[in-house]
Amino acid sequence: MTVLYKANMVRGAEWATFFAERAPDMPFRLWPDIGDPATVRYLVAWQPPDDIAAAFPNLELVFSVGAGVDQFDITKLPPHVPLVRMMEPGITERMVEYACMSVLALHRDLVQFIGQQRDQVWRELSVTHTSERRVGVMGLGLLGQAVLERLKSFDFPLLGWNRSPRSIAGVTCYAGADTLPDFLGQTDILVCLLPLTSETRGILNAKLFARLPRGARLLNVGRGGHLVEADLIAALDGGVLSAAVLDVAEPEPLPAGHPFWSHPRILLTPHIASTTKPETAVDYVLDTIARHRRGEPLPGRVDRDRGY
Ligand code: NDP
């Protein structure tokens, strides 16, 4: 009944401590010290090994250590083994914090002020009241909804766009591809919190940017693959967009010399918007294992056909 962890090793040591505390009878091992592979029933990984089916013949559950699963090659996972994504409260807490910080930074022209400081320019920019700055979130899942909930306190008019219909108090919700132009036309700050799938890859492109009000702002906290990079540069240089905060890129790390490093209208962070918090993630994993043993549905189970 071993749990094998294969991800960030510094956090792995924390996972080991919390596992020992909360499930002393359940063996927990850190990659590459796998022990007897036949005893591995649960794998917690950012990227699983390629030969997963052959390497661990008695695997029962695979957990993505992150909220997304786009980094997994789902076709290599044994068909009978459920893939479960991380839905622990620490991820949500940190994403809400980062998204609110970034939306406020975009709202209050922080990207422009950072450039002005670099150029030693002391110049005011006009201030828009939050009630006149519309914030639209793409992806109304666990994280998108939590971010919107916290943004309510700033008085921004709020919009959301999702695949299936949602009803969220205080948020004008749109559903489906047909409604995307209406949603975009009313969005001054666009937040991408979609999963990366074959449907959403490249969704942040020139056509989408052109539907936003001129000078709109972008926050991408989804995945680098959502964004067509050349289209973003062109939109920023041509005034279609006025600033972007990007937490994700493709590939990561962003290569040296990439135009995003030095673009005056881009604020870049190295995929740190949110990270899994070992203390709460261990509880989530133990709870999911217990549900699995009782034969109950698993809340974070990934639908392999949808890809999230
Ligand atoms: P969820 O699965 O809870 O939510 C995803 C939402 O996106 C669902 O509401 C889903 O709609 C919607 N969606 C999926 N496909 C489409 C589509 N084609 N068109 C419109 N809407 C769509 O995921 P989370 O909220 O937990 O996480 C979202 C993403 O955030 C992750 O996949 C990951 O990429 C990113 N992330 C980034 C982090 C970072 O540090 N930068 C950290 C954590 C997550 P429906 O209701 O119909 O299923």
Side-chain angles (χ1 to χ4, degrees):
M1 285 292 194
T2 299
V3 177
L4 176 63
Y5 174 97
K6 180 182 179 291
N8 176 296
M9 279 308 151
V10 176
R11 278 182 237 139
E14 288 182 56
W15 277 73
T17 306
F18 290 118
F19 246 96
E21 215 175 271
R22 292 168 198 181
D25 298 333
M26 193 176 291
F28 180 86
R29 303 188 82 102
L30 294 173
W31 184 273
D33 174 27
I34 62 173
D36 176 1
T39 64
V40 174
R41 299 289 165 91
Y42 311 107
L43 176 68
V44 180
W46 177 245
Q47 277 173 328
D50 278 346
D51 56 346
I52 183 168
F56 306 109
N58 297 314
L59 205 56
E60 290 183 23
L61 282 179
V62 176
F63 291 87
S64 165
V65 83
V69 294
D70 52 285
Q71 76 281 9
F72 275 71
D73 180 352
I74 294 180
T75 59
K76 291 201 172 138
L77 299 185
H80 65 281
V81 177
L83 171 61
V84 177
R85 68 191 199 89
M86 202 51 67
M87 286 176 66
E88 58 88 20
I91 293 188
T92 311
E93 201 180 287
R94 290 168 179 182
M95 179 55 80
V96 166
E97 199 177 271
Y98 182 95
C100 289
M101 171 192 78
S102 305
V103 166
L104 289 170
L106 288 165
H107 168 60
R108 293 304 306 265
D109 302 313
L110 190 67
V111 182
Q112 288 86 330
F113 285 123
I114 290 170
Q116 287 192 189
Q117 180 181 352
R118 194 176 43 236
D119 299 340
Q120 302 192 19
V121 173
W122 188 274
R123 185 173 63 217
E124 280 187 34
L125 298 174
S126 63
V127 177
T128 299
H129 194 270
T130 50
S131 63
E132 289 159 20
R133 186 90 75 190
R134 299 158 297 180
V135 181
V137 175
M138 301 174 84
L140 301 178
L142 187 67
L143 300 180
Q145 291 196 47
V147 166
L148 281 161
E149 202 49 48
R150 194 69 63 85
L151 285 174
K152 284 180 185 172
S153 63
F154 296 104
D155 202 26
F156 294 110
L158 299 172
L159 303 93
W161 180 76
N162 200 53
R163 182 155 88 156
S164 42
R166 285 274 193 283
S167 172
I168 307 171
V171 180
T172 308
C173 293
Y174 294 82
D178 295 348
T179 68
L180 187 57
D182 283 349
F183 163 78
L184 295 171
Q186 302 173 69
T187 293
D188 302 309
I189 298 179
L190 180 67
V191 179
C192 177
L193 262 169
L194 289 165
L196 183 62
T197 65
S198 54
E199 277 181 32
T200 64
R201 176 168 285 281
I203 194 168
L204 302 174
N205 57 35
K207 196 171 153 203
L208 178 143
F209 298 146
R211 292 191 186 282
L212 292 163
R214 192 167 173 80
R217 293 127 204 249
L218 172 71
L219 166 60
N220 187 17
V221 263
R223 287 287 184 260
H226 287 128
L227 178 67
V228 179
E229 296 183 349
D231 289 4
L232 175 64
I233 301 276
L236 289 168
D237 291 347
V240 173
L241 296 180
S242 57
V245 175
L246 307 176
D247 180 55
V248 284
E250 194 173 270
E252 293 176 359
L254 195 68
H258 190 285
F260 286 178
W261 284 116
S262 53
H263 197 286
R265 296 291 168 128
I266 292 177
L267 188 60
L268 187 67
T269 53
H271 200 149
I272 47 72
S274 186
T275 45
T276 301
K277 194 172 165 186
E279 186 172 0
T280 36
V282 164
D283 288 340
Y284 173 77
V285 166
L286 289 172
D287 179 62
T288 305
I289 290 173
R291 285 171 190 266
H292 178 66
R293 283 185 184 166
R294 296 193 296 265
E296 294 173 8
L298 309 176
R301 185 169 186 165
V302 171
D303 179 327
R304 292 183 184 222
D305 294 329
R306 288 188 324 190
Y308 69 97

